């Protein structure tokens, strides 16, 4: 009957010659539902295939995100491409992890902070009022919406748009129809506890709109919609047999959110012409790792309700040509220019901001701008760095942590595996766990502290004091235990260890030449005590005391973010120290260089290269005197270079392959305890052999860093298989 009425209505349109003003207003309403919200995309694709363009798009939470992109001019196919090209799992589940000490990594400190950083202060615990760090989600939204971020009236978007937020300060529903498009969309999807709420200009906090109205059908009617197509990914009516989903954390969260949104959504069902409900009982709101399967369920819903689209197309058939002519696609929008930037961060970044003025606000520019803000936030240890855009002017605002605040960071790198070094096969385990942090004592004076657990245990504490925006003084003292060299490569030698311990102190000046380039100058002293060492019951090393006073310079360049396998960039680190080992009373020094680069013509093909070079002239009985080759043996002098290709895959996975060469000291495997001769102090004087081989690796880049399985095969022959995180 409904189909017959639709046909009659279409005929009447042709007969009466209705004007555009008489065109029925078609509203598309999209519900929230977390990851399940990507099931909206096939509905959009079906509308596109039929040439049907909504007169308004309304959404809540994930429906606000998908609907906002659609309203901005993206097609359904565009959205599918965006979903397939981005790692939503890594983007959403990004824990708070920051870099060490005000800037790019201090070359004299070995702390990792890749797992988690928890901030604390007088205001409470936590870096923000959300469990997860939203900077990657925010950057994603701004990159893809860069051309329309200046739009302040949502009726001026290619498709008029509304989204819903829950004002938890004043206990009310908010309908976003103007203002900052980014703030509106971000507020509508601010899942309580998971993401931080958005604070409006009046001081109120706005959270996920599903708390108030998860399927705003009534709002569409109140705005004059004659035809309403709604999509509910939450299945609040229970059309499909629900599974018991509350036996996992994500399942319980889904049940909880459905419980909150169900009453209001059910009440509005009858006010829509059609409600499409995909069968998503096998998925939860947090299944961001299963987006492809969710979209397939959305397509199944389209196929099952294809009659809905037939009816809708019949109703709007007389206006399809008009709708097509009016539609503006995002790709055709001209990006506005950046006319000026106002900021409240350190003046050291003035030149960085100046470089953006005059550039178009397109994907590339905003990607680079977001990267700069991310670096500023990490380097300056700020609670947040955000920005607004109005009339071509970008206003950057930063929020520092309160006094007497600090952080605790957890990091992990290293790996486990199997190696054959040319003579024997052995199991290798060299993980390094770090716990570090800092706390402000008084303004600009920070207490730093840390624990490193690797071959042994290292504890240190110190003070740092920034000055002149780009420089800082710091000092550290600490103790260490269990650092004997062969403990880092278990199985290579059958030595029985005595106890070893030590203390160290260092003082230095760090200088930020640019936000990605750091120099450190340092003086310090190490003291090491070794109780003795034996092999097969025979003493080969007597009790010894070693002191190493030294000066040093460190250099770090960090132009490679490594957030995705397709990222281009270069990073490198150089550390040089020189002094004297006592009681040997001969000059001693350590020179270590390593670097990595990735560049390529397309996001799906990269050339990669990496290298290391080191010369270590320390007391031979110390762990500090050796480097470990990629294939296992130890060496005093080392040079390594690798060149190859990287194939970035979906979900930030990758495959690497290349060839490498290692230069090394083939005699370093014999434990030497005699002092160095003067002729041996020349850099690379002991390097007397070279090994060439092949390298292949596969892995994934996550918010925790790179996790990979790596294989080295050399012509010696040697073999190394390691599973690593770094």
């Amino acid at each position: 009957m409904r189909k017959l009425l639709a046909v009659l209505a279409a005929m009447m349109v042709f007969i009466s010659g209705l004007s555009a003003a008489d065109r029925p207003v078609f509203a598309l309403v999209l519900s929230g539902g977390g990851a399940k919200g990507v099931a909206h995309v096939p509905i959009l694709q079906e509308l596109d295939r039929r040439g049907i363009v909504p007169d308004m798009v309304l959404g809540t939470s994930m429906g606000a995100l998908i609907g906002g992109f659609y309203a901005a001019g993206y097609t359904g196919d565009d959205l599918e491409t965006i979903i397939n090209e981005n790692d939503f799992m890594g983007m959403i589940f990004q824990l708070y992890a920051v870099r060490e000490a005000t800037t790019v990594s201090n070359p004299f400190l070995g702390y990792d902070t890749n797992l988690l950083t928890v901030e604390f202060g007088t205001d409470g615990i936590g870096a923000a009022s959300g469990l997860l760090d939203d900077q990657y989600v925010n950057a994603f939204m701004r990159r893809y919406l860069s051309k329309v971020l200046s739009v302040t009236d949502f009726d001026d978007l290619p498709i008029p748009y509304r989204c819903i937020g829950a004002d938890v300060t004043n206990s009310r529903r908010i309908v976003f129809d103007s203002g900052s498009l980014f703030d509106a969309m971000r507020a509508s999807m601010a899942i309580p506890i998971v993401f931080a709420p958005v604070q409006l200009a009046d001081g109120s906090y706005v959270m996920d709109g599903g708390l108030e109205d998860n399927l705003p059908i009534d709002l569409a009617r109140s705005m004059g919609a004659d035809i309403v197509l709604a999509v509910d990914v939450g299945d609040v009516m229970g059309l499909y047999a629900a599974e018991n989903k509350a036996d996992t954390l994500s399942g319980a969260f889904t049940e909880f959110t459905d419980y909150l949104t169900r009453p209001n959504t059910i009440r509005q069902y009858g006010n829509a012409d059609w409600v499409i409900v995909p069968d998503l009982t096998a998925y939860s709101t947090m299944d961001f790792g299963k987006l492809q399967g969710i979209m397939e369920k959305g397509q199944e819903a389209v196929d099952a309700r294809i009659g809905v689209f037939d009816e809708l197309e019949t109703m709007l058939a007389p206006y399809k040509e008009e709708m097509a002519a009016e539609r503006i696609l995002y790709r055709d929008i001209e990006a506005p220019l950046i006319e000026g930037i106002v900021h409240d961060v350190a003046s050291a970044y003035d030149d960085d901001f100046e470089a953006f003025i005059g550039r178009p606000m397109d994907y590339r520019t905003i990607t680079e701008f977001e990267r700069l803000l991310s670096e500023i936030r990490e380097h300056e240890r700020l609670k947040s760095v955000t920005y607004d855009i109005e009339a071509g002017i970008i206003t950057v605002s930063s929020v520092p942590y309160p006094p007497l605040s600090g952080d605790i960071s957890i990091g992990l790198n290293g790996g486990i595996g199997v190696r054959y070094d040319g003579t024997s096969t052995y199991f290798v385990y060299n993980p390094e766990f770090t716990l570090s942090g800092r706390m402000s004592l008084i303004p600009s004076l920070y207490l730093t502290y840390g624990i490193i657990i690797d071959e042994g245990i290292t504890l240190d504490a110190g003070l740092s004091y920034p000055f002149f925006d780009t420089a800082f003084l710091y000092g550290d003292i600490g103790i260490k235990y269990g650092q004997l060299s062969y403990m880092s490569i278990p199985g290579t030698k059958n030595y029985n260890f005595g106890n070893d311990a030590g203390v160290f102190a260092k003082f230095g000046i760090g200088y930020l030449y640019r936000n990605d380039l750091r120099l450190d100058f340092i003086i310090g002293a190490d003291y090491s005590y070794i109780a003795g060492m034996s092999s097969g019951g025979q003493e080969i090393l007597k009790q010894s005391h070693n002191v190493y006073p030294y000066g040093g310079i460190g250099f770090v360049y960090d132009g490679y973010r490594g957030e995705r396998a397709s990222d281009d960039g270069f990073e490198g680190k150089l550390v040089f120290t020189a002094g004297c080992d006592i009681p040997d009373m001969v000059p001693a020094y350590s020179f270590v260089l390593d670097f990595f680069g990735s560049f390529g013509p397309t996001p799906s093909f990269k050339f990669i290269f990496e290298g290391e070079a080191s010369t270590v002239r320390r007391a031979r009985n110390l762990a500090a005197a050796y480097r470990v080759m990629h294939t296992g043996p130890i060496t005093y002098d080392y040079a390594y270079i690798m060149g190859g290709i990287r194939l970035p895959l979906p979900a930030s996975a990758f495959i690497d392959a290349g060839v490498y060469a290692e230069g090394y000291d083939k005699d370093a495997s014999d434990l030497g305890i005699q002092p160095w001769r003067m002729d041996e102090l020349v850099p690379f004087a002991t390097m007397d052999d070279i090994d060439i081989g092949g390298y292949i690796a596969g892995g994934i880049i996550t918010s925790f860093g790179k996790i990979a399985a790596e294989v080295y095969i050399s012509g010696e022959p040697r073999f190394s298989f390691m599973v690593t995180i770094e």
Side-chain angles (χ1 to χ4, degrees):
M1 184 66 180
R2 177 180 283 180
K3 188 170 184 178
L4 177 61
L5 292 174
V7 173
L8 291 174
M11 293 175 61
M12 290 298 294
V13 170
F14 283 115
I15 294 172
S16 59
L18 293 177
S19 67
D22 298 315
R23 188 172 96 190
V25 177
F26 166 43
L28 177 65
V29 181
L30 307 177
S31 78
K36 296 190 292 184
V38 300
H40 294 310
V41 172
I43 283 80
L44 306 181
Q45 291 173 312
E46 185 64 26
L47 293 176
D48 291 342
R49 278 192 286 269
R50 295 170 180 263
I52 300 172
V53 183
D55 296 290
M56 64 179 75
V57 176
L58 302 89
T60 298
S61 194
M62 194 64 171
L65 180 69
I66 299 294
F69 274 63
Y70 195 62
Y74 285 102
T75 66
D77 288 344
D78 291 336
L79 288 171
E80 182 178 11
T81 299
I82 290 172
I83 290 169
N84 290 334
E85 289 182 348
N86 287 273
D87 176 17
F88 280 82
M89 195 71 173
M91 187 189 308
I92 299 294
F93 296 100
Q94 172 73 32
L95 298 177
Y96 284 89
V98 299
R99 297 188 184 183
E100 180 60 37
T102 315
T103 176
V104 292
S105 301
N106 180 339
F108 293 99
L109 292 177
Y111 294 113
D112 283 289
T113 58
N114 56 311
L115 294 189
L116 176 66
T117 299
V118 176
E119 308 283 353
F120 59 84
T122 53
D123 291 344
I125 296 176
S129 47
L131 177 64
L132 301 180
D133 189 347
D134 59 3
Q135 72 175 43
Y136 288 87
V137 174
N138 295 348
F140 163 80
M141 293 170 59
R142 284 178 164 134
R143 284 199 304 267
Y144 283 100
L145 294 170
S146 56
K147 294 181 181 180
V148 295
L149 289 177
S150 295
V151 174
T152 56
D153 185 339
F154 298 170
D155 286 337
D156 292 337
L157 290 168
I159 301 175
Y161 170 72
R162 300 291 186 272
C163 64
I164 306 299
D167 180 352
V168 295
T169 303
N170 302 297
S171 301
R172 64 189 177 103
R173 182 185 77 164
I174 291 183
V175 177
F176 288 102
D177 58 6
S178 61
S180 166
L181 177 64
F182 168 80
D183 283 348
M185 294 172 61
R186 175 63 184 80
S188 186
M189 56 177 289
I191 303 171
I193 307 301
V194 178
F195 287 122
V198 172
Q199 187 174 20
L200 302 182
D202 62 2
S204 59
Y205 287 92
V206 182
M207 289 186 177
D208 194 304
L211 298 174
E212 288 285 344
D213 190 353
N214 200 47
L215 192 67
I217 297 169
D218 290 353
L219 175 62
R221 290 297 189 190
S222 69
M223 293 174 60
D226 301 303
I227 305 170
V228 176
L229 170 62
V231 186
D232 176 24
V233 298
D235 187 15
V236 295
M237 297 291 286
L239 300 180
Y240 302 99
E243 298 177 356
N244 180 12
K245 299 178 293 185
D247 53 353
T248 64
L249 180 60
S250 60
F253 185 81
T254 298
E255 290 294 305
F256 175 67
T257 54
D258 286 350
Y259 173 79
L260 292 177
T261 61
R262 186 175 294 119
N264 186 278
T265 304
I266 290 175
R267 180 185 60 78
Q268 298 189 66
Y269 255 52
N271 207 11
D273 293 283
W274 307 280
V275 179
I276 295 178
V277 183
D279 180 4
L280 298 171
T281 53
Y283 299 94
S284 75
T285 58
M286 307 305 285
D287 276 339
F288 287 94
K290 303 176 181 179
L291 299 185
Q292 193 60 47
I294 294 173
M295 283 196 291
E296 290 173 1
K297 288 295 184 180
Q299 184 59 53
E300 290 178 10
V302 169
D303 297 339
R305 301 292 304 278
I306 201 68
V308 169
F309 297 94
D310 291 339
E311 292 182 49
L312 181 61
E313 184 175 13
T314 301
M315 288 181 176
L316 297 175
Y319 312 103
K320 287 173 62 175
E321 185 175 336
E322 178 185 329
M323 288 188 289
E326 293 175 352
R327 188 169 192 187
I328 301 173
L329 297 179
Y330 186 85
R331 65 178 70 101
D332 297 327
I333 298 174
E334 183 177 355
L337 300 180
I338 299 175
E339 299 180 10
I341 299 177
V342 180
H343 70 89
D344 62 359
V345 298
S347 59
Y349 301 100
D350 286 347
D351 291 343
D352 296 293
F353 286 123
E354 184 73 23
F356 286 93
I357 296 177
R359 293 182 57 177
M361 284 188 239
D362 55 17
Y363 179 93
R364 180 178 178 181
T365 299
I366 296 301
T367 297
E368 294 177 14
F369 192 74
E370 287 282 350
R371 181 172 296 177
L372 172 62
L373 296 189
S374 177
E375 291 171 352
I376 292 173
R377 178 189 174 199
E378 294 171 349
H379 298 170
E380 302 300 323
R381 290 285 181 136
L382 296 169
K383 185 174 183 180
S384 67
V385 181
T386 59
Y387 62 97
D388 294 313
I389 301 174
E390 186 174 353
I393 304 297
I394 297 179
T395 302
V396 178
S397 303
S398 63
V399 178
Y401 287 103
L404 295 178
S405 64
D407 62 63
I408 299 175
S409 295
I410 300 172
L412 177 68
N413 71 31
I416 60 174
V418 177
R419 284 176 175 161
Y420 170 74
D421 64 3
T423 58
S424 60
T425 301
Y426 54 93
F427 175 67
V428 180
Y429 50 96
N430 59 358
E432 178 180 281
F433 174 82
T434 66
L435 180 67
S436 61
R438 75 172 191 169
M439 182 175 70
S440 62
L441 301 177
I442 59 175
S444 297
L445 181 63
Y446 297 92
L447 169 68
T448 61
Y449 50 89
I451 301 173
I452 300 177
I453 301 174
D454 45 19
E455 307 94 89
I457 300 176
T458 301
L459 298 89
D460 85 286
L463 297 173
S464 66
Y465 179 79
F467 63 98
F468 295 148
D469 285 341
T470 58
F472 42 92
L473 297 168
Y474 61 88
D476 285 283
I477 58 174
I479 60 175
K480 54 187 177 180
Y481 173 79
Q483 303 295 325
L484 285 168
S485 40
Y486 286 111
M487 294 185 73
S488 64
I489 45 173
T492 56
K493 294 293 178 181
N494 183 28
Y495 290 124
N496 299 315
F497 295 95
N499 293 323
D500 70 291
V503 297
F504 60 87
K506 52 192 173 184
F507 305 91
I509 297 177
Y511 173 66
L512 276 178
Y513 180 73
R514 296 188 327 211
N515 62 28
D516 55 4
L517 180 62
R518 169 172 171 157
L519 298 174
D520 281 85
F521 303 91
I522 195 169
I523 59 172
D526 287 356
Y527 164 76
S528 300
Y529 164 77
I530 299 176
M533 184 180 295
S534 63
S535 178
Q538 180 180 1
E539 184 180 61
I540 61 171
L541 184 63
K542 296 182 181 295
Q543 183 184 77
S544 64
H545 302 265
N546 299 88
V547 178
Y548 178 55
Y550 64 90
I553 182 171
F555 169 97
V556 171
Y557 176 76
D558 189 10
Y560 174 68
R561 298 293 293 173
E563 296 169 351
R564 297 176 297 176
S566 58
D567 283 353
D568 289 336
F570 175 82
E571 62 183 1
K573 180 170 70 172
L574 167 67
V575 179
F576 176 79
T577 66
C580 179
D581 265 322
I582 303 171
D584 290 354
M585 299 307 297
V586 295
Y589 67 90
S590 172
F591 160 85
V592 179
L593 166 71
D594 59 71
F595 58 85
F596 174 82
S598 174
F599 298 94
T602 70
S604 58
F605 182 86
K606 302 292 176 183
F607 293 102
I608 59 172
F609 59 92
E610 66 179 8
E612 298 178 38
S614 68
T615 289
V616 183
R617 297 295 184 265
R618 297 291 311 281
R620 297 177 192 254
N621 56 305
L622 300 177
Y626 302 92
R627 288 294 297 272
V628 180
M629 296 168 56
H630 286 274
T631 49
I634 61 172
T635 179
Y636 298 116
D637 288 327
Y638 186 50
Y640 164 82
I641 186 72
M642 187 275 288
I645 60 173
R646 168 169 291 178
L647 302 178
L649 304 174
S652 286
F654 65 90
I655 295 175
D656 291 349
V659 295
Y660 72 90
E662 289 182 302
Y664 61 99
D665 172 13
K666 64 182 178 181
D667 296 322
S669 58
D670 295 323
L671 181 65
I673 60 174
Q674 299 302 317
W676 292 95
R677 301 191 312 269
M678 292 302 295
D679 63 316
E680 294 176 322
L681 295 178
V682 178
F684 301 104
T686 70
M687 192 169 70
D688 56 4
D689 211 342
I690 190 169
D691 198 4
I692 298 174
Y695 163 78
I696 187 169
I700 186 170
I701 294 177
T702 73
S703 60
F704 307 121
K706 183 179 77 172
I707 303 173
E710 303 175 336
V711 176
Y712 290 85
I713 302 176
S714 80
E716 189 62 24
R718 296 192 180 104
F719 171 83
S720 175
F721 171 76
M722 296 288 293
V723 177
T724 63
I725 178 172
E726 61 180 40

